[in-house]
Amino acid sequence: MRLPGRLSAAIDVLTDVETRKRPISEALKAWGLNNRFAGAGDRAAIGNLVYDALRRRASHAALMGNDSARALVLAVAVRDWNEDPAALSASFGADSHAPDALSEDELARVVGEVPDDTAGFVLADVPEWLAPSLQRGFGDNWIAEGQDMAGRPSLDLRVNTLKSSRERVMKSLIRFTPAETAISPIGVTMPAGPGDARTPNVTSDEGYLKGWFEVQDQGSQIVAALAGARPGEQVLDLCAGAGGKTLALAAAMMNKGQIFAYDSDRNRLAPIYDRLKRNGARNVQVRAPQPDALDDLVGKMDRVVIDAPCTGTGTWRRRPDTKWKLTPELLAQRVGEQAALLLEAQRFLKPGGTVVYITCSILPEENDDQVAAFIAANPGFSSTPAAELWSVAFNTALPLGLETAQGGIALTPRLTGTDGFYLNALRLAA
């Protein structure tokens, strides 16, 4: 397929996403099944167009004067992919699968600029109702944070030190031109390419099948390291899900001690068994959800890790459709769930133990606000100094701008080049 046909397909897919309110991945899969002539390169390009359209939906719509699928995709082609609008419009007439030629109004708009006096939430490409929250969390930098959250993410891998080394993994993936991550000492990254660039398919690589590495954003690797799990400890991973951070903790503990991996949802937990086997993680005991699943752990844990259910605002680069689906009601629901988990977690600690609270959110309601409320209600807890956590994990000084008002550590695309994450280590007095 040529670019005009790809643009037309992207408009169709984006229309499907918007009208049927389903995830981008589902809409792209359905389009591919109905258009089997399209090659892998075509599907990747169409996907990039759709994701880019939703990453900057607000500012694209402001530029074009409407938020139709056509307007958003045309804005991506010119504004993000640097296509010449006149040449693009002319090429549409030579392709039977192309959209209609650009109107005079579209030609004028697509080469314009969003005015500087445009509302901040539009410049930041975030939902209007979240602007006060983001401004409270980031101050004068909130628009810049939103703009960086609207970029493309890199593909990051965590080297499984139980089976391999970073040098070995990078050598095995040399065809993808991998690089070392900037912060994580066991991370490998492949930056996102422009336009129709394809993301490397590393999960079919021999190294992945042998358990040498896992796909994991550098931000997730960083908070797993900051969790501070040590060999020989007793650790409860209270929201283990598919086991991404569980595997990182097992490697950090060098298979010594014990991790109890639990999740309230059996379906989320299901993939962990195969992943543990592939990674060679032998110090993990999976606890399936049932009423007495964790009763024997009360008061015995050195560390309880809460990878809390959250709005996922820190992953907007990867899942931009969720940015526009988020509601105040869903945020309130997640806040309630997080508070309940913090209350539950303390039951399992022994004196001097630590609750490690983690979210992939950039909203203060889910981060510092939660920690402040918990400490106020449980004065035996205090936040472990952020600089101390960072020094122990990485043997370097904490970078400027990462410590939050409540003593947590916040990662963002603008500050660390990662997804958005938050961590606060709450230590119980001995």
Side-chain angles (χ1 to χ4, degrees), residues 21-56:
K21 308 299 181 186
R22 63 175 176 174
I24 299 174
S25 57
E26 288 186 15
L28 286 169
K29 182 178 180 180
W31 186 90
L33 291 173
N34 291 326
N35 297 272
R36 295 182 183 274
F37 63 85
D42 295 321
R43 294 194 298 273
I46 294 163
N48 285 351
L49 287 165
V50 173
Y51 277 96
D52 285 349
L54 290 175
R55 288 184 178 112
R56 302 177 70 189

Side-chain angles (χ1 to χ4, degrees), residues 260-275:
F260 300 92
Y262 173 84
D263 198 282
S264 61
D265 188 321
R266 288 179 183 273
N267 292 328
R268 282 199 301 263
L269 196 61
I272 197 173
Y273 299 96
D274 287 341
R275 297 181 77 184

